[in-house]
Amino acid sequence: MENYLLILIGTVFVNNIVMSKMLGLCPFMGVSKKLETAIGMGAATTFVLTLASGLSHLIDTYLLGQELAYLRTLSFIVVIAGIVGFTEMFIKKTSPVLFRVLGIYLPLITTNCAVLGIPLLNVQEQHGFVESLVFGLGGALGFTLVLVLFAAMRERLEAADVPAPFRGTSIAMISAGLMSLAFMGFAGLIK
Amino acid sequence: MISAILVMAGIGLVLGGVLGWASIRYRVEDDPLVEKIDAILPQTQCGQCGFPGCKPYAEAISKGEADINLCPPGGNDGVKRLAELLGVEPKPLGAGMEPKPKAVAVIDENTCIGCTLCIQACPVDAIVGAAKQMHSIIAEQCTGCELCLPPCPVDCISMQVIREDVATWKWRYPVHMMKRAA
Amino acid sequence: MNGSPFALLGHNSVTAVMAKVMAALIPGIIAHAWFFGPGIWVSLLLCMLFAVGLECLLLLLRGLPLKPFLSDGSALVTAALLALALPTLAPWWLYLMATLFAVGVAKHLYGGLGQNLFNPAMVGYAAMIIGFPVYMTQWAAPIGVAHFTPSLAEAFDLVFAGSGAISVDAYTSATPLDAWKTQARQGMAEADILAQPIFGWAGARGQEMVALMYLLGGLLLLANRVITWHIPVTFLAAMALTAGLLHLANPAQHAPPLFHLLSGGAMLCAFFIATDPVTAASTPLGKLIYAALAGFLLMIIRAFGAYPDGVAFAILLANICVPFIDAYTQPRVFGHKRGGKRGQA
Amino acid sequence: MSRKLHPFNGGVHPDGHKEPSNATPIRAMPLLPRYVVPLRQHIGAPARPLVRAGERVARGQMIGAAEGYVSTAAHAPTSGSVLAVEPRAVPHPSGLFDLCVVIEADGEDRAVELQPLDWRNLDASALRNRIRDLGLAGLGGAVFPSYIKLNPGAQAIHTLILNGAECEPWITCDDRLMRERAAEIVLGAEIMRHALGCASVLFGVEDNKPEALAALRAAAPTDMEVVSVPTLYPSGGGKQLTYLLTGVETPTGGRSTDVGIQVFNVGTAYSLYRAVCLGEPLLSRVVTVTGHVAEPGNFETRIGTPLADLLAAAGGALPGAVGEIIGGPMMGFDLLDRVAPVTKSVNCLLVKDPRLFPARPAALPCIRCGACARACPADLQPFEMYWFSRAKDFGKAQSYDLFDCIECGCCAYVCPSHIPLVDYFRYAKSEIWERERDKREADQARRRHEFKEFRLEREKQEKAEKFAKAAEKQKAAAGTETANPEEARKKAILQAALERARLAKEGVTPKNTDNLPAAVEKEIAEIDARRERMGAKQQGGEE
């Protein structure tokens, strides 16, 4: 139990997928202009990532094994694409507004390197099934956390007197850098 | 080799089945994007965008056939709202498309010959009058589209900028903040 | 066009606010000089010079008028906080770099006073501790512990010319927070640790008095209504609570709460850094959440993290959360239903 | 006398400056040679002018009639002749002109016959209509037509609040009125209570007006309560006073009547007494002239009195004056033109001197110190509203409840950065209103455009049908000349096209002259007549 908790805290804070592993920067920059969109994106990614972690672990362990290891990336991508496709239909039905604001970023969860990265890291770290699920959930929660906080910051930044050359994505990148600086404070917390 | 093909085919089949079920379970009609675009457009029906009215322009935008910066009456503000709706970066209005101050058409009562050409041109039926009778424009309904200017054979229609009065007066943007050179 | 109101509250300006903050810092600075030698004057002077210089340069670059923005005094307050947070007797370029990050990156890239999301002084500090960890762990030892306490002239010499023949260890020492952490992990008993000369009656020798002087300054700010009680009280309470729980759970590993309150930058942070209105939460409930979060994170980093003092990181992490906290703690507007959603008439 | 008060949050304590003007009794203004009566003095639609240039009028004669529901009448302040009905300077922050009736006094001050009303026995709606025609509007500042406020409507009113708080610094017109005419105010309140059918009547007066409190207490019957409220700006705000006295919050976007409470200014109660018991329309009001003037005080001023004359009556501005404010220093506005007249909403003319009213220092950036939020009586977060109004992000500004702002000025008063916060809020509000106006106009244009397209389509179809029928007939007449239906159809189309071309040559008769509103038809007729006249004149000139 403590092990799972450590994995969770570790992936959410210490080794945050965005802030310390620098994965998933595309949606992090792209879907953080509005707080509500960011929350929706976070929820969608959490769903996809947790499911993908578990499924890909099962596939890796029971279908691929050692001899078919070369199919890992391929099959993971297929699984992720399937889950994303499902999520897309689900969101389109339940929240058309969210579907529209997420726009291209929703299908792009497929190519979100964080979503592929976490199942691959699971294999690398030789996580068991539950560990993989927790690792996926933690990574996704960490992603959602920074995405949502970052979106709230950007909403305020939007109205700031940022000098012209730094406006828009530029100052957002700088802010992300400073966020990352702050997250370094968690260094040494686990392991 | 066979096992690899089997595995991938299996995964594909299962996922395909799930997606197929989901597409039936969560079927939705496409959202009325055209209506939403049309709601942002100012409805002057002026045709400056190159389309015969606001609705056709909205349709063109939704199909991706027209850019969002072709509507001068909507101004840069309108472009911004379209960009927000469509999730694209806003851009300045196209060249030679600077927004003009709001105006209404006024018919010179002495020159009008009652030819009805302007009445046919008016997209919102804001001009009243019958053949060989003097025409006049209902100011509240005029959108200032200027479509009635070219057909007039005697050039008796002119645009009059709407002046603000006590009721429509707006507070200006405060200028107390220190002047910025940048 | 100048609309109402035409009446203004007298003796009320940003400059006055900043002047009061500076004045409240003075007891702490004097105590610092008293216990750690005159080195603080050098770093204070350097930081202020660099800050004002950079502020001028950046204002000119941005095409803004110098006088009103310089006279608001915010650059000086940032510089003073930075100087008090950084180790004294570090090389001059460290102060320059820190000020550059504080005034340049954290403040002016965001549009200057009032627009920044991160506390400028803490950005400067955090950037230095990541970039130059060696210099950031060399703290001037208190008078009586150090083999040698440089005079003002010697301090200038050390800052600009480097230590040269004098060993760095002669005038610096590990911070008590650091010492506690490493020694407790090595299994030393609490009494043995506290018996060392760098520890004082409750916390770190010298630092405890400086912290009390910051507390005094903070109380002056409270009395003058420059700050409200929400942030300092909650921050210190959250710290004490977390430290107390940790100490109860494992007294051998974790120092008692009073030690934490009076060591490192805790007091300075509670009254002068966390209360920076620009980067702190602004709603009444938000202030409590923000301060509690910062205090909690500070203790977590101190107890488990890799850095001896986590003030900068705790504040920056709390800064990240501020817009989110504010967005979800908007107070109920007069005439709105209780629990109603904001923005819905 | 110990009613439990419910203090609202926020508020400020600006210097009162009541003494210069509240020491002397209300003075009457002498009859002036000229009055300018604006037709838009109240909230709502402007009054419709009833007189033309050259017409003679008597004092109290209605010169502008209420137009629509939210409107009220305007009256001649004295007898004389109408000089003009034209746009003139009015007391408005814009400095724009508005339609006014200019009256040249004849010096006789002859009045129309006044008819006191038997209000206790008069039908409620008849009473209200009379009050509308007597031009009554709220004198506290909002100038909402009183007859509407006296209509209890669907929601029963249980409490009537008479607002005598007068929290704005410098202004003392209500103070003097309460001291000198308490009995009349109480009678006015009695009429209001009758019209609204409510039980409870409360007077709210700030405790810096002990004389007014005493006078009201002496005059009020036992079933009316005179409550002393602590001096705190803006306790005279309608929502604030309501909460202070009853603990009931006026719901956002609504009125206090939604919670069964109606609020009137004490000055309105006095005017209502005069209107009902004496039959006199709203011809005058008490105006405070104070600040940097020779003899500050309160003046019984006829509506339409040029402000320059009012200033002269108070001995004129002292040397060094730097302009005038209409209203108080917290919510008033700069007077741009002294020829503008006193209207029903003008309660104070405040002459500024450079010592008490220095120019506002240049604004510095907001440091989010929250002083404004602590001072805000509406519990808003003004710095957030400012942050987004400044960036012209009106949607966000609105999401921080911009429209709950009462523009009291507390936030800008306490701001250490000297930011004109209220100016930003007024700016954002008027921008949002304009957008809503534009939206309405666009919707109307869309409907009209769609209708036109529908009409064109219908006309085309009707025409085609007609020709098809005609062709059919022809075909029938010609017998089975062509058995081929395809050919017949082609022929019909050809015929239709020919017919169309013929019609086009003759000139199409558009059909949108049908169903015109009477007003537009009249307008067209007028224009035609004018054109004929002009044409005739022109021809005459040529010959």
Side-chain angles (χ1 to χ4, degrees), chain A:
Chain A
M1 196 62 220
E2 204 188 322
N3 180 30
Y4 300 139
L5 198 65
L6 281 181
I7 291 182
L8 203 62
I9 291 175
T11 44
V12 174
F13 298 108
V14 186
N15 298 315
N16 186 284
I17 192 102
V18 184
M19 293 284 101
S20 103
K21 293 215 172 68
M22 300 289 159
L23 291 174
L25 281 177
C26 168
F28 181 67
M29 297 306 297
V31 204
S32 54
K33 283 191 191 133
K34 279 212 174 84
L35 186 52
E36 283 167 23
T37 324
I39 294 172
M41 185 66 177
T45 310
T46 306
F47 176 74
V48 171
L49 199 41
T50 315
L51 216 58
S53 299
L55 272 183
S56 53
H57 174 83
L58 293 179
I59 286 173
D60 190 61
T61 318
Y62 298 107
L63 280 180
L64 302 180
Q66 279 305 315
E67 65 271 25
L68 288 177
Y70 60 89
L71 279 179
R72 204 174 274 153
T73 311
L74 190 62
S75 56
F76 284 8
I77 292 233
V78 170
V79 168
I80 292 166
I83 300 171
V84 170
F86 177 82
T87 316
E88 203 180 336
M89 288 180 213
F90 182 76
I91 292 182
K92 198 171 178 183
K93 174 81 179 178
T94 49
S95 171
V97 181
L98 184 64
F99 181 77
R100 198 167 42 76
V101 289
L102 288 178
I104 189 68
Y105 291 100
L106 189 52
L108 277 186
I109 296 180
T110 316
T111 55
N112 181 345
C113 45
V115 179
L116 182 61
I118 284 196
L120 289 176
L121 281 170
N122 268 329
V123 176
Q124 197 184 348
E125 311 250 322
Q126 301 183 324
H127 283 148
F129 178 66
V130 183
E131 279 175 333
S132 294
L133 273 184
V134 173
F135 191 74
L137 180 68
L141 287 181
F143 174 79
T144 309
L145 176 77
V146 292
L147 183 69
V148 166
L149 295 179
F150 189 53
M153 288 167 76
R154 282 185 81 175
E155 281 201 0
R156 186 179 288 178
L157 259 184
E158 195 80 339
D161 279 340
V162 176
F166 294 100
R167 235 164 254 168
T169 314
S170 171
I171 194 69
M173 290 298 264
I174 293 167
S175 305
L178 291 178
M179 273 175 92
S180 190
L181 178 71
F183 266 75
M184 283 183 169
F186 287 123
L189 231 57
I190 300 228
K191 280 175 229 170

Side-chain angles (χ1 to χ4, degrees), chain D residues 166-200:
Chain D
E166 201 164 55
C167 57
E168 270 260 11
W170 294 97
I171 306 177
T172 58
C173 57
D174 289 347
D175 185 8
R176 285 309 314 186
L177 196 72
M178 288 185 285
R179 289 196 209 185
E180 296 174 30
R181 301 170 193 176
E184 290 89 337
I185 293 173
V186 168
L187 261 172
E190 202 67 71
I191 299 166
M192 289 170 175
R193 170 152 73 177
H194 170 76
L196 292 167
C198 62
S200 172

Side-chain angles (χ1 to χ4, degrees), chain D residues 303-324:
Chain D
I303 307 296
T305 304
L307 285 158
D309 292 312
L310 180 62
L311 189 56
L318 292 173
V322 288
E324 298 92 17

Side-chain angles (χ1 to χ4, degrees), chain D residues 193-537:
Chain D
R193 170 152 73 177
H194 170 76
L196 292 167
C198 62
S200 172
V201 179
L202 301 171
F203 285 85
V205 182
E206 275 191 353
D207 56 12
N208 61 356
K209 291 180 268 292
E211 297 91 345
L213 275 164
L216 275 179
R217 279 182 181 145
T222 50
D223 58 350
M224 291 187 184
E225 200 177 333
V226 181
V227 187
S228 160
V229 302
T231 301
L232 173 69
Y233 180 85
S235 59
K239 292 179 176 185
Q240 279 65 37
L241 189 65
T242 306
Y243 184 74
L244 193 57
L245 293 178
T246 63
V248 176
E249 286 185 18
T250 307
T252 174
R255 299 179 191 287
S256 59
T257 45
D258 297 342
V259 285
I261 297 167
Q262 186 58 287
V263 187
F264 279 100
N265 181 266
V266 286
T268 316
Y270 174 73
S271 298
L272 185 69
Y273 151 77
R274 289 189 75 89
V276 172
C277 297
L278 309 179
E280 186 191 87
L282 181 53
L283 293 181
S284 68
R285 63 160 298 146
V286 181
V287 183
T288 305
V289 185
T290 185
H292 207 50
V293 291
E295 301 157 33
N298 287 288
F299 295 85
E300 176 90 46
T301 315
R302 293 182 202 223
I303 307 296
T305 304
L307 285 158
D309 292 312
L310 180 62
L311 189 56
L318 292 173
V322 288
E324 298 92 17
I325 298 170
I326 296 294
M330 296 301 284
M331 289 188 74
F333 55 88
D334 269 322
L335 177 62
L336 298 173
D337 194 342
R338 279 194 196 174
V339 303
V342 167
T343 63
K344 292 168 188 175
S345 67
V346 173
N347 53 4
C348 179
L349 178 65
L350 173 55
V351 181
K352 294 193 277 189
D353 70 312
R355 190 177 60 82
L356 284 169
F357 295 94
R360 181 179 269 274
L364 282 171
C366 168
I367 55 168
R368 302 175 61 88
C369 64
C372 48
R374 288 193 289 280
C376 181
D379 303 338
L380 293 162
Q381 302 276 301
F383 59 94
E384 300 278 14
M385 283 153 48
Y386 157 72
W387 182 253
F388 292 109
S389 299
R390 191 188 60 118
K392 305 184 185 177
D393 189 343
F394 303 118
K396 281 270 181 55
Q398 213 172 342
S399 80
Y400 282 96
D401 301 303
L402 176 67
F403 282 95
D404 282 292
C405 168
I406 57 167
E407 301 176 21
C408 64
C410 288
C411 49
Y413 176 78
V414 299
C415 180
S417 292
H418 309 300
I419 299 167
L421 290 155
V422 187
D423 284 2
Y424 280 95
F425 303 153
R426 282 188 281 241
Y427 159 73
K429 282 183 186 176
S430 51
E431 285 295 325
I432 293 169
W433 280 324
E434 199 205 19
R435 258 158 225 219
E436 282 170 4
R437 229 175 12 243
D438 283 353
K439 183 94 192 95
R440 274 198 303 276
E441 275 167 18
D443 286 342
Q444 177 190 286
R446 183 185 300 110
R447 274 197 306 278
R448 293 187 64 83
H449 180 62
E450 276 164 8
F451 178 74
K452 173 172 176 156
E453 302 218 302
F454 164 76
R455 178 173 63 80
L456 289 180
E457 188 61 32
R458 190 188 60 197
E459 277 168 17
K460 214 160 88 191
Q461 255 175 24
E462 276 171 6
K463 241 175 244 164
E465 264 169 37
K466 217 158 75 190
F467 289 128
K469 253 185 212 153
E472 200 119 321
K473 247 184 215 161
Q474 234 170 25
K475 200 176 79 182
T480 49
E481 191 184 305
T482 44
N484 193 343
E486 179 66 16
E487 213 165 297
R489 201 180 61 82
K490 268 186 193 160
K491 212 171 180 182
I493 291 171
L494 195 73
Q495 202 127 29
L498 277 173
E499 188 73 2
R500 253 204 315 278
R502 192 177 60 78
L503 267 177
K505 224 178 264 171
E506 277 178 9
V508 186
T509 327
K511 290 199 174 153
N512 61 346
T513 44
D514 314 334
N515 303 326
L516 278 180
V520 176
E521 255 172 20
K522 210 177 98 195
E523 201 181 326
I524 294 172
E526 267 173 23
I527 291 168
D528 273 336
R530 196 155 64 229
R531 196 158 67 109
E532 250 163 51
R533 273 204 310 276
M534 301 267 283
K537 212 188 275 171

